[in-house]
Amino acid sequence: GCIMDGKLYPFGEIARTENCFRCSCSPDAMRCCSLFHTPTGYDKENCKVVFNQKSCNYDVVQKSDPSKECFVYSRV
């Protein structure tokens, strides 16, 4: 298998690792892509970015009230 962040994964396709990556594990390499997109266009003065491990995505919330989401107009 392949080891990533101290965890052993079996050979083959891995739909989702503990750190939110989709990977392919072979005897010679482990290739991974992230399952999340990083917010780049949002109100940086009034909002902050928080990683949501459960959904494997970034939430952009108001600094003054984190229960309220902010509008995101671009992600990479």
Side-chain angles (χ1 to χ4, degrees), residues 47-62:
C47 302
K48 64 180 179 176
V49 175
V50 179
F51 190 70
N52 183 329
Q53 187 78 26
K54 188 174 182 180
S55 68
C56 282
N57 208 353
Y58 285 101
D59 295 333
V60 181
V61 296
Q62 291 181 8

Side-chain angles (χ1 to χ4, degrees), residues 13-66:
E13 298 298 315
I14 301 138
R16 177 180 165 173
T17 67
E18 289 182 357
N19 294 329
C20 299
F21 286 89
R22 178 179 28 236
C23 300
S24 175
C25 173
S26 66
D28 60 315
M30 185 170 187
R31 294 174 181 84
C32 300
C33 295
S34 65
L35 292 172
F36 50 87
H37 295 94
T38 305
T40 55
Y42 61 94
D43 180 354
K44 292 178 175 73
E45 187 175 318
N46 297 305
C47 302
K48 64 180 179 176
V49 175
V50 179
F51 190 70
N52 183 329
Q53 187 78 26
K54 188 174 182 180
S55 68
C56 282
N57 208 353
Y58 285 101
D59 295 333
V60 181
V61 296
Q62 291 181 8
K63 289 179 182 178
S64 61
D65 185 355

